[in-house]
Amino acid sequence: MLERVLDKGIVIADDIRINLLDIELLTVKLRLIVASVDKAKEMGIDWWESDPALSSRARRDELARENAELRERLARLEELEQGHSGKKEAP
């Protein structure tokens, strides 16, 4: 039974609404998909591959992106510093 569910996949969807005097206070939308990793990928679901908390490759990519951004910021700051110090030294 479990093998069939994982092979085909199953979706459970539900909405929970909390109202007080006909005023909607809270809506919670629940979506649950139970499927094998292969079936999920076949359906276009692969969010875990890009989530840094779940994928070491995604974490490395995020760190590389942050590193590149910081290097660019540092280069701009150094250029600004050189521009300001060059103006102060001129008589």
Side-chain angles (χ1 to χ4, degrees), residues 40-75:
K41 285 184 177 181
E42 187 180 307
M43 296 180 338
I45 302 169
D46 61 356
W47 52 264
W48 62 88
E49 291 182 349
S50 60
D51 187 334
L54 301 173
S55 169
S56 59
R57 182 173 40 108
R59 180 67 182 147
R60 281 192 307 270
D61 293 346
E62 181 183 49
L63 289 174
R65 182 187 50 77
E66 288 177 8
N67 191 340
E69 288 174 3
L70 289 172
R71 288 178 185 271
E72 289 174 16
R73 288 178 63 190
L74 180 60

Side-chain angles (χ1 to χ4, degrees), residues 7-66:
D7 183 47
K8 299 293 182 185
I10 186 171
V11 176
I12 301 169
D14 196 11
D15 295 340
I16 300 171
R17 290 191 177 97
I18 298 175
N19 296 331
L20 179 64
L21 302 174
D22 292 331
I23 299 172
E24 188 172 317
L25 299 176
L26 177 68
T27 299
V28 178
K29 295 184 176 207
L30 300 172
R31 305 296 182 259
L32 174 66
I33 298 175
V34 179
S36 68
V37 170
D38 293 334
K39 185 64 175 179
K41 285 184 177 181
E42 187 180 307
M43 296 180 338
I45 302 169
D46 61 356
W47 52 264
W48 62 88
E49 291 182 349
S50 60
D51 187 334
L54 301 173
S55 169
S56 59
R57 182 173 40 108
R59 180 67 182 147
R60 281 192 307 270
D61 293 346
E62 181 183 49
L63 289 174
R65 182 187 50 77
E66 288 177 8

